[in-house]
Amino acid sequence: MTQRNTRQREAILGALGQAGRPLGPQEILVFARQFVPRLGIATVYRNVRNLVESGQIRVVLLPGSSDRYELAGKHHHHHFHCRECDGVFELDGCDEDFSGVTPSGFSLERHEVTLYGLCPVCS
Amino acid sequence: MTQRNTRQREAILGALGQAGRPLGPQEILVFARQFVPRLGIATVYRNVRNLVESGQIRVVLLPGSSDRYELAGKHHHHHFHCRECDGVFELDGCDEDFSGVTPSGFSLERHEVTLYGLCPVCS
DNA sequence: GTCGTTGCAAAGCGTTTGCAGCCTA
DNA sequence: TAGGCTGCAAACGCTTTGCAACGAC
């Protein structure tokens, strides 16, 4: 019933903290294997789901790309997605207001903004 | 070499025109089978790719959801994604400028904005 | 000791590819 | 008639699930 602390779960949280940017399951696996070499991909998927449900990490939804994950507790922000290396980078807080473009009848609850282009390394 | 006109391709374009909203591959298959009953899903995928490359249809990228497609030739716009019925609706043109939130070193090429909430029917 | 967790392998599922026959130009 | 296009089935890549052993509490 209760969530237990395992080396694997610590390694996954450590990977996300160390990376400092949203990671996909495969990226998490590579990072976290520094701490737990025999870590399996299924364990990554299972822990990621549990950590999202328990609110410790957050899902980063990207248009046209699979989900990434980042540590929870950050301010509202969006991401920059590099079309060359597929890396995702955090942007500073968002101050946009989209209530003006919401047609009448629709009830706006949240929004996602993703910028595309080249990151500094790929430029 | 040259793209040929087939019943299947016409059926797919017809489906997108008839629907009036972005459709996924499976949705396209259902709509287009009204015109070509034995249409296969592989043909949908192949034609969708060709039509995107030839500029006749456009990919609609949605965070956390698989790609949809719409007829090309529309003005730059974004979409509203209903969390209840999963329907996607077109919004009026976008006049946002995100160059201000792009960190130095990054080269901004395009952006995606998706609004979430409830559509008029689900409200 | 209990039972949540793990690694491995198999199963799922949406998308792509190989192939022989079909059909457009 | 050439060669792009089609339907079918197999292959693929990513994610989930089944299972027996493991280990946190």
Side-chain angles (χ1 to χ4, degrees):
Chain A
M1 189 75 233
T2 318
Q3 202 180 60
R4 292 176 182 173
N5 290 330
T6 63
R7 292 176 307 125
Q8 289 83 350
R9 179 166 295 128
E10 288 306 314
I12 289 168
L13 289 171
L16 290 172
Q18 180 181 305
R21 62 183 181 82
L23 300 179
Q26 207 60 49
E27 290 177 302
I28 292 175
L29 183 68
V30 172
F31 272 81
R33 274 186 171 165
Q34 296 176 351
F35 312 116
V36 182
R38 300 197 57 78
L39 180 64
I41 188 66
T43 299
V44 172
Y45 278 101
R46 280 185 288 232
N47 272 289
V48 156
R49 189 198 305 147
N50 288 348
L51 290 168
V52 168
E53 283 171 4
S54 67
Q56 293 173 81
I57 66 177
R58 219 183 67 82
V59 186
V60 177
L61 301 171
L62 299 167
S65 195
S66 52
D67 298 350
R68 317 289 168 105
Y69 303 89
E70 65 184 7
L71 294 181
K74 298 179 177 176
H75 274 147
H76 173 67
H77 64 275
H78 297 295
H79 298 90
F80 187 103
H81 189 169
C82 178
R83 70 164 156 83
E84 188 67 28
C85 67
D86 202 39
V88 177
F89 306 86
E90 211 170 294
L91 298 173
D92 286 337
C94 160
D95 57 358
E96 305 290 335
D97 176 17
F98 294 98
S99 55
V101 297
T102 307
S104 67
F106 288 79
S107 103
L108 179 63
E109 296 174 347
R110 43 180 277 269
H111 64 264
E112 287 288 342
V113 174
T114 311
L115 305 188
Y116 294 87
L118 295 174
C119 73
V121 172
C122 296
S123 283
Chain B
M1 191 71 234
T2 317
Q3 201 180 61
R4 293 177 182 175
N5 289 331
T6 63
R7 293 178 305 126
Q8 289 83 351
R9 178 166 295 129
E10 289 306 315
I12 289 168
L13 289 171
L16 290 171
Q18 181 181 305
R21 62 182 182 83
L23 300 180
Q26 207 61 47
E27 290 176 302
I28 292 175
L29 183 68
V30 173
F31 271 82
R33 274 187 170 163
Q34 297 177 351
F35 311 117
V36 182
R38 301 196 57 78
L39 180 64
I41 187 66
T43 298
V44 172
Y45 278 101
R46 279 185 287 231
N47 272 288
V48 156
R49 189 197 306 145
N50 289 348
L51 290 168
V52 168
E53 284 171 4
S54 68
Q56 293 173 81
I57 66 176
R58 220 184 66 80
V59 187
V60 176
L61 302 170
L62 299 167
S65 195
S66 53
D67 299 351
R68 320 282 170 108
Y69 303 89
E70 65 185 6
L71 294 180
K74 298 178 178 177
H75 224 244
H76 173 68
H77 65 274
H78 297 296
H79 297 89
F80 188 103
H81 191 171
C82 178
R83 70 162 156 83
E84 189 67 27
C85 67
D86 201 40
V88 177
F89 305 86
E90 213 170 289
L91 298 174
D92 286 337
C94 159
D95 57 357
E96 305 289 337
D97 176 17
F98 295 99
S99 55
V101 296
T102 307
S104 68
F106 288 80
S107 101
L108 178 64
E109 296 175 348
R110 42 181 279 270
H111 65 264
E112 287 288 343
V113 173
T114 310
L115 306 188
Y116 294 89
L118 295 175
C119 74
V121 173
C122 297
S123 282

